[in-house]
Amino acid sequence: MPNDPQSQAYFQSLVPQARILFRQGYDEARATVRPGDLASVVTLVRSLHRAIDIMGREHVGKAAAAGNMVECAAGCAFCCHQNITVSAPEAVTIVQFLRAQARDVPDFAAHAAAIDGLDFVGRYAKGLPCAFLTDQRCGIYDDRPEPCRSYLSLSRAQCERYVAVATDGGLTILRDPHTLHPFLVAGADWALVQAGFQMVSMELTALLAQATRPGVCERWVAQEATFTTAPNDDYLARLEHVAKAMA
């Protein structure tokens, strides 16, 4: 919850929509995912992504009507130098995408080690793009995670300056999708926790370094605790807090 009054007022204005999204994600996960069935996890995540994309287009349209144009476009990959946090279902879905495409798997462990401890300014300064970025294109675009889908910039020039100068000069993005869309994913994650699945959330490549090991995804969907988390990981506590707030 933000501390300053203006941000608090903004967040409170979105609570009714956040509750709807949280419940939507929760209900869909309960209805879709079956223990031992990796395909059901992929079905859930891709359905959530479709809903996010639809909402994103609506946000973009409203912004354009108000004179604020989203400047994200194919080949613009300045935002692909940020740390992205994902939870287990999205990581499992990416692994299934890589398997289906018979793609070479990047060295996720090395990539995670290279960016460990860096904030986005430090990462920009070192010029470390996403492990999936090739020729300014996302190699997993159809299955890219929610944070990537919800990051809609109103100034390409500002994004470019971050990469070129690596200073925190401020970015202008659409706030509503960036704030609201995670509640859809959180609802689904909480449903899976309630159903007995281990739930973790961490930096994309760090989680994929584990998820791409042989048998990890299969054991996870069989409801085994297969992922290792940091001692200070608080994702389950945060999920529980959100679930209570959304009740």
Side-chain angles (χ1 to χ4, degrees):
M1 183 72 177
N3 293 322
D4 63 284
Q6 186 175 6
S7 295
Q8 286 183 356
Y10 166 73
F11 183 80
Q12 287 298 327
S13 72
L14 297 182
V15 167
Q17 297 175 69
R19 283 200 175 101
I20 292 171
L21 290 177
F22 186 88
R23 190 69 204 189
Q24 179 182 337
Y26 184 93
D27 289 343
E28 188 159 359
R30 295 285 290 189
T32 304
V33 176
R34 297 178 296 277
D37 186 354
L38 279 171
S40 68
V41 177
V42 175
T43 296
L44 168 68
V45 171
R46 290 177 175 167
S47 178
L48 298 180
H49 286 171
R50 284 194 296 273
I52 287 167
D53 290 345
I54 291 170
M55 291 186 293
R57 288 193 290 271
E58 292 173 351
H59 289 302
V60 169
K62 291 178 182 178
N68 299 313
M69 302 301 297
V70 170
E71 297 189 357
C72 302
C76 176
F78 302 115
C79 63
C80 300
H81 293 68
Q82 299 186 51
N83 295 342
I84 298 299
T85 300
V86 301
S87 59
E90 285 191 309
V92 167
T93 298
I94 291 171
V95 173
Q96 296 308 102
F97 172 86
L98 294 173
R99 289 174 175 175
Q101 299 294 317
R103 299 278 297 277
D104 291 334
V105 176
D107 189 341
F108 294 121
H111 191 89
I115 64 176
D116 185 43
L118 297 177
D119 62 10
F120 61 91
V121 173
R123 183 168 173 173
Y124 281 142
K126 289 182 176 292
L128 298 173
C130 176
F132 292 112
L133 188 65
T134 303
D135 297 327
Q136 299 299 100
R137 301 279 177 164
C138 175
I140 56 165
Y141 187 79
D142 289 342
D143 281 318
R144 68 198 188 283
E146 176 276 320
C148 304
R149 295 171 184 271
S150 303
Y151 194 90
L152 302 168
S153 174
L154 296 173
S155 174
R156 176 181 175 131
Q158 288 182 349
C159 295
E160 183 173 6
R161 186 183 65 243
Y162 260 83
V163 176
V165 182
T167 58
D168 189 355
L171 289 171
T172 306
I173 64 173
L174 290 185
R175 294 179 70 187
D176 286 6
H178 188 67
T179 304
L180 283 170
H181 295 174
F183 284 95
L184 184 67
V185 174
D189 285 355
W190 183 242
L192 295 183
V193 170
Q194 298 299 294
F197 290 87
Q198 181 194 27
M199 190 54 59
V200 298
S201 176
M202 64 184 76
E203 190 275 323
L204 172 64
T205 50
L207 188 52
L208 287 175
Q210 297 188 52
T212 50
R213 293 172 185 164
V216 167
C217 290
E218 288 74 13
R219 294 198 301 274
W220 176 80
V221 81
Q223 298 184 308
E224 295 182 29
T226 56
F227 293 110
T228 301
T229 60
N232 61 347
D233 178 72
D234 65 347
Y235 187 54
L236 286 178
R238 287 186 286 120
L239 269 181
E240 184 175 10
H241 176 77
V242 171
K244 290 178 179 178
M246 294 295 103

